[in-house]
Short mmCIF file of all heavy atoms in Angstrom, two decimals:
data_model
loop_
_atom_site.label_atom_id
_atom_site.label_comp_id
_atom_site.label_asym_id
_atom_site.label_seq_id
_atom_site.Cartn_x
_atom_site.Cartn_y
_atom_site.Cartn_z
N PRO A 407 36.90 -21.53 76.38
CA PRO A 407 37.78 -22.53 75.74
C PRO A 407 37.06 -23.79 75.25
O PRO A 407 37.58 -24.48 74.39
CB PRO A 407 38.77 -22.88 76.86
CG PRO A 407 38.12 -22.46 78.14
CD PRO A 407 37.23 -21.32 77.80
N ARG A 408 35.90 -24.10 75.81
CA ARG A 408 35.20 -25.31 75.34
C ARG A 408 34.39 -25.07 74.08
O ARG A 408 33.87 -26.00 73.49
CB ARG A 408 34.21 -25.78 76.42
CG ARG A 408 34.85 -26.23 77.71
CD ARG A 408 33.76 -26.72 78.63
NE ARG A 408 34.24 -27.09 79.95
CZ ARG A 408 34.82 -28.24 80.23
NH1 ARG A 408 35.01 -29.14 79.30
NH2 ARG A 408 35.22 -28.50 81.46
N SER A 409 34.21 -23.81 73.72
CA SER A 409 33.29 -23.49 72.63
C SER A 409 33.88 -23.82 71.25
O SER A 409 34.98 -23.39 70.91
CB SER A 409 32.97 -21.99 72.69
OG SER A 409 32.29 -21.61 71.53
N LEU A 410 33.12 -24.55 70.45
CA LEU A 410 33.51 -24.82 69.05
C LEU A 410 32.59 -24.05 68.10
O LEU A 410 32.47 -24.39 66.92
CB LEU A 410 33.41 -26.32 68.75
CG LEU A 410 34.34 -27.27 69.50
CD1 LEU A 410 34.18 -28.70 68.99
CD2 LEU A 410 35.81 -26.85 69.34
N ILE A 411 31.96 -23.02 68.61
CA ILE A 411 30.90 -22.35 67.84
C ILE A 411 31.44 -21.69 66.56
O ILE A 411 30.82 -21.80 65.50
CB ILE A 411 30.15 -21.35 68.76
CG1 ILE A 411 29.41 -22.14 69.86
CG2 ILE A 411 29.17 -20.49 67.96
CD1 ILE A 411 28.85 -21.31 71.00
N LEU A 412 32.61 -21.07 66.65
CA LEU A 412 33.13 -20.46 65.42
C LEU A 412 33.72 -21.51 64.47
O LEU A 412 33.72 -21.32 63.25
CB LEU A 412 34.14 -19.35 65.75
CG LEU A 412 33.47 -18.11 66.37
CD1 LEU A 412 34.52 -17.07 66.74
CD2 LEU A 412 32.43 -17.48 65.44
N ASP A 413 34.18 -22.63 65.03
CA ASP A 413 34.60 -23.74 64.16
C ASP A 413 33.43 -24.24 63.33
O ASP A 413 33.57 -24.60 62.16
CB ASP A 413 35.12 -24.94 64.98
CG ASP A 413 36.37 -24.63 65.77
OD1 ASP A 413 36.40 -23.56 66.41
OD2 ASP A 413 37.29 -25.45 65.77
N GLN A 414 32.25 -24.28 63.98
CA GLN A 414 31.05 -24.72 63.25
C GLN A 414 30.80 -23.81 62.05
O GLN A 414 30.52 -24.28 60.95
CB GLN A 414 29.82 -24.68 64.16
CG GLN A 414 29.82 -25.69 65.29
CD GLN A 414 28.64 -25.42 66.22
OE1 GLN A 414 28.76 -24.66 67.18
NE2 GLN A 414 27.50 -26.03 65.95
N VAL A 415 30.89 -22.51 62.30
CA VAL A 415 30.60 -21.56 61.21
C VAL A 415 31.61 -21.74 60.08
O VAL A 415 31.25 -21.78 58.90
CB VAL A 415 30.64 -20.11 61.74
CG1 VAL A 415 30.43 -19.13 60.60
CG2 VAL A 415 29.60 -19.91 62.84
N GLU A 416 32.88 -21.91 60.45
CA GLU A 416 33.93 -22.07 59.45
C GLU A 416 33.68 -23.34 58.62
O GLU A 416 33.77 -23.34 57.39
CB GLU A 416 35.28 -22.14 60.17
CG GLU A 416 36.45 -22.13 59.25
CD GLU A 416 37.75 -22.38 60.00
OE1 GLU A 416 37.82 -22.12 61.24
OE2 GLU A 416 38.70 -22.84 59.35
N THR A 417 33.35 -24.41 59.32
CA THR A 417 33.09 -25.68 58.63
C THR A 417 31.90 -25.59 57.69
O THR A 417 31.85 -26.28 56.67
CB THR A 417 32.81 -26.78 59.69
OG1 THR A 417 33.93 -26.85 60.55
CG2 THR A 417 32.57 -28.13 59.04
N GLY A 418 30.94 -24.73 58.03
CA GLY A 418 29.74 -24.60 57.21
C GLY A 418 30.05 -24.34 55.75
O GLY A 418 29.41 -24.90 54.85
N VAL A 419 31.06 -23.53 55.48
CA VAL A 419 31.38 -23.20 54.09
C VAL A 419 31.91 -24.45 53.38
O VAL A 419 31.47 -24.79 52.27
CB VAL A 419 32.41 -22.04 54.02
CG1 VAL A 419 32.82 -21.78 52.59
CG2 VAL A 419 31.83 -20.78 54.66
N ALA A 420 32.81 -25.18 54.02
CA ALA A 420 33.40 -26.36 53.37
C ALA A 420 32.35 -27.44 53.13
O ALA A 420 32.33 -28.10 52.08
CB ALA A 420 34.54 -26.91 54.24
N VAL A 421 31.44 -27.63 54.10
CA VAL A 421 30.38 -28.63 53.93
C VAL A 421 29.48 -28.26 52.76
O VAL A 421 29.09 -29.12 51.96
CB VAL A 421 29.56 -28.75 55.23
CG1 VAL A 421 28.19 -29.36 54.98
CG2 VAL A 421 30.31 -29.59 56.25
N ARG A 422 29.14 -27.00 52.66
CA ARG A 422 28.23 -26.58 51.58
C ARG A 422 28.94 -26.64 50.22
O ARG A 422 28.30 -26.91 49.21
CB ARG A 422 27.64 -25.21 51.91
CG ARG A 422 26.64 -25.38 53.05
CD ARG A 422 26.25 -24.19 53.81
NE ARG A 422 25.31 -24.58 54.85
CZ ARG A 422 25.36 -24.17 56.12
NH1 ARG A 422 26.29 -23.32 56.52
NH2 ARG A 422 24.48 -24.60 57.00
N MET A 423 30.25 -26.42 50.22
CA MET A 423 31.01 -26.64 48.98
C MET A 423 30.91 -28.11 48.60
O MET A 423 30.69 -28.45 47.43
CB MET A 423 32.48 -26.22 49.16
CG MET A 423 32.68 -24.72 49.25
SD MET A 423 34.34 -24.26 49.81
CE MET A 423 35.26 -24.37 48.26
N ALA A 424 31.09 -28.99 49.57
CA ALA A 424 31.03 -30.44 49.29
C ALA A 424 29.65 -30.81 48.74
O ALA A 424 29.54 -31.57 47.77
CB ALA A 424 31.33 -31.22 50.57
N VAL A 425 28.59 -30.27 49.32
CA VAL A 425 27.24 -30.61 48.88
C VAL A 425 27.00 -30.12 47.45
O VAL A 425 26.55 -30.87 46.58
CB VAL A 425 26.20 -30.01 49.85
CG1 VAL A 425 24.79 -30.08 49.27
CG2 VAL A 425 26.26 -30.73 51.21
#
Side-chain angles (χ1 to χ4, degrees):
R408 295 183 185 279
S409 170
L410 296 184
I411 294 169
L412 290 177
D413 296 45
Q414 292 172 270
V415 177
E416 187 187 337
T417 302
V419 176
V421 159
R422 288 162 181 135
M423 288 168 83
V425 168

